[in-house]
Amino acid sequence: MRTLFGENILSPSPTPRPQHNPFELLFHSTASAASSNASTHSSPNQHGWLTQHLQAQQQAERDAADQTTRQPAQHVKRKGHPKLLFMGLRKSGKSSVRKVVFEKLSPADTLFLEPTPRMERATLQSFVPIETAEIPPNAPVTAPEFDHRAAFGNAGAVIWVVDVQDEYLNAIGDLIQTAVFLAENYPRVNFEVFIHKTDGLSEEYNYEAFREVRQRVQDELSDLGHGDRSVSYHQTSIFDYSIFEAMSKVVQRLLPQLPAMEALLNKLCSTCRIQKAYLFDTSSKIYVATDTSPTFLRDYEVCSDYVDVIVDIKQIYGWQKHERQSQDTTSQDDSVGESLVTYDRSGDTYIYAREIDE
Amino acid sequence: MNTTERSKRQKQRKVLLMGRSGAGKSSMRSIIFSNYVAKDVRRLGATVDVEHSNIRFMGNLMLNLWDCGGQDSFVESYLTNQRSHVFTSVAVLIFVFDISSREAAADLLNFASTIRALHEFSPNSRVFILIHKMDLIPADQKSRVFQQRAVEVRSTCEDEGFLEQQVDFWATSIWDQSLYRAWTQVIYFLVPNATVIERMLQKLAELLDARELVLYERTTCLVVTHITRGSEGQNPYSDRFERLSSILKTHKHSMAKHTGTLASEVSFAEMQVKTGEFMFFITRLTENTNLAVVMPSDEATFNAARVNVQLARQEFAHLDIVEKRSKDAARFAGMRDSLGSDDIASKGSEDEEIAFARPKDR
């Protein structure tokens, strides 16, 4: 199948990329995932899903993401794979978040999850192999006998989950303790706070809680001299898209390729007059990059739903490929998937999606 | 009377929706016909007496849906003073059993008296039994529980005089696509010219060399009919049509949320999905229906198919006409004669033109 774009759509990247060509993304399919991960300089024929959105937007503020690339001095040099560590009080929702985002568990089924007894690790095979780990809440993290180096040495970001429906003020004490500990010993690790379980509560209450947590943590840190540490706060809930948005932002902060991908997306949007573009990871539906125009949750939702539609249809009618793949694992597939929806009679495309890698 | 008048009259179909109170009748109706999402049905209260809805389906089918409240007092009144009013000239009775109800015996008695009344006034009607709320049954027991209940109900039907072929059983739940499957069957039974539509679609499928054609109604996303050709028959997803219904319905809701319009007004002009294995597009076919076409993965045939479907639209418009006066109908017939010899552009490298054949009984 011929592709819409020629081979030289990929302009040479503005910054030297360490490992990956950003247009070489992995589409997580059940058969082969890790094989395409290794190759570095790929032709444009290997791709992931790029979702573009063509509707008028309003001006709004965009979060300034912390984009410093890390050159860690004290801890083990990461090989470009983001590692996330989840911490928080018991029943705050750490396992639910991990399972809903990375293992596609339905949010309603998280009621049946058991408390996590020990530290768990998991890896998501995808464009960016994301490793997640979860520390059980009663582990004495700050005590000297705990093996910090094993836990935090490799971490890219620590996510503290605060349950806003429970007594969150108690959680703040532990939060601050951990934040201070990390600020002192592992300053290179990003610290993120999820104000979690914001579904079902009024917007004012959530905002109040959000502000209070932020205020207190900021005060404590500056009292102890770490006022320059940046901590980001997100309001999340597994029952809507806010958790995916927050995870996307967390993962983006850990990607060294982010500026390059953003520059490419910007170029694409300006050349093709696209309003908004998202680079989605299909299995977890977090977006790995977007262009620098203002971001709205609504656009992300509609693109994420559209990715779902495409994946479902592909599964229903692509059945021959699955059967073939189970017999012959060396098949080479040069075709590119793409999809579009046109919403009015004039034929202007409303949403366009293109597969970047299989 | 001539055929147009008689066929106009036949297009009104009366459908009764009955069952105990709380069985799920109004929920099903609102999900399918009023664009509710499964979560929204919690808002619905008990139906008072009968709720009539006239639903236009496919343009020429008027569904007269009677959603009858299930509380005992209402049921009493249907079976006594409103008996003939409710049960005459019924085309389809949809009876809903709540599988999680503790009063199975009372449910069955209720059903028996309803069926008896139905048999008195409309002995030739079709009965669809929906065993509802199947999501509350653990997966391993589902088929056993369903079979058990079906056997009991079937014996009751036979006692009251309904033949086996008049009764159909379906297990449904609003939380998955089984709901669409059951209602698709109901609609398929009611659509008056289903065989004509299928014949025309079969010809279209041959011309396009499509793997599959699915005709579905635009507002409810219910599949009216489908044509499957060739190797597609081995598709392991035998429930793909109802899956498609539910995928499209969710898509409509997400679009509505995004553009800020109502879910009932949202509809796309065209959707395309192209992969290495297949190519798929959905486009309008008639005023009330969309056609989903699955093609093999070849750009040339795909684009030819899109053009051909555009050209085929005018032929299919006849199936969907709103009631016209006889003068208009005659004029239309004249137009159709002149269009009948239209040729459709052939695909790819073939040189000869392929004429689009007309169905014979027009």
Side-chain angles (χ1 to χ4, degrees), chain A residues 317 324 338-340 342 350, chain B residues 212 258 269-270 272 274 277:
Chain A
Y317 287 111
R324 233 188 325 125
E338 63 179 9
S339 169
L340 59 93
T342 318
Y350 179 60
Chain B
E212 188 154 73
H258 185 250
E270 187 174 4
Q272 296 179 15
K274 299 190 209 174
E277 278 302 306

Side-chain angles (χ1 to χ4, degrees), chain B residues 36-206:
Chain B
Y36 274 47
V37 178
K39 284 188 292 196
D40 293 343
V41 302
R42 266 180 279 177
R43 283 192 259 144
L44 291 170
T47 314
V48 177
D49 206 12
V50 182
E51 264 182 36
H52 292 276
S53 7
N54 280 317
I55 299 162
R56 176 169 301 244
F57 196 83
M58 296 248 332
N60 62 354
L61 173 67
M62 186 65 88
L63 274 190
N64 207 340
L65 183 67
W66 293 44
D67 180 0
C68 306
Q71 288 175 350
D72 292 337
S73 49
F74 299 129
V75 175
E76 276 292 316
S77 117
Y78 308 143
L79 295 177
T80 47
N81 32 8
Q82 294 186 46
R83 201 174 171 103
S84 59
H85 172 58
V86 170
F87 288 104
T88 27
S89 51
V90 172
V92 169
L93 166 72
I94 303 175
F95 201 90
V96 182
F97 278 100
D98 177 356
I99 194 75
S100 67
S101 111
R102 313 266 170 113
E103 307 167 3
D107 289 347
L108 220 48
L109 278 177
N110 189 327
F111 174 67
S113 33
T114 314
I115 286 267
R116 200 172 303 138
L118 182 70
H119 192 72
E120 218 178 287
F121 294 95
S122 318
N124 296 321
S125 56
R126 194 75 184 264
V127 180
F128 285 87
I129 314 274
L130 301 188
I131 314 286
H132 197 51
K133 302 194 189 174
M134 288 300 285
D135 51 287
L136 298 173
I137 309 284
D140 46 350
Q141 296 172 19
K142 271 195 174 104
S143 56
R144 187 178 55 83
V145 166
F146 174 68
Q147 286 304 326
Q148 242 175 12
R149 185 60 71 96
V151 159
E152 289 169 6
V153 176
R154 196 179 278 284
S155 58
T156 316
C157 288
E158 280 172 7
D159 289 342
E160 299 295 336
F162 278 97
L163 306 170
E164 204 176 307
Q165 56 266 33
Q166 282 178 288
V167 183
D168 272 317
F169 291 85
W170 298 98
T172 56
S173 160
I174 55 173
W175 298 100
D176 61 35
Q177 66 268 16
S178 54
L179 179 67
Y180 292 102
R181 186 193 191 124
W183 280 84
T184 303
Q185 301 301 322
V186 174
I187 295 294
Y188 183 72
F189 173 71
L190 291 170
V191 167
N193 44 3
T195 37
V196 172
I197 297 175
E198 278 177 352
R199 253 184 292 148
M200 291 177 76
L201 283 179
Q202 181 73 37
K203 291 196 183 108
L204 185 62
E206 306 275 331

Side-chain angles (χ1 to χ4, degrees), chain A residues 23-37:
Chain A
F23 269 37
E24 169 201 321
L25 301 168
L26 279 175
F27 179 95
H28 180 61
S29 62
T30 48
S32 72
S35 54
S36 346
N37 189 15

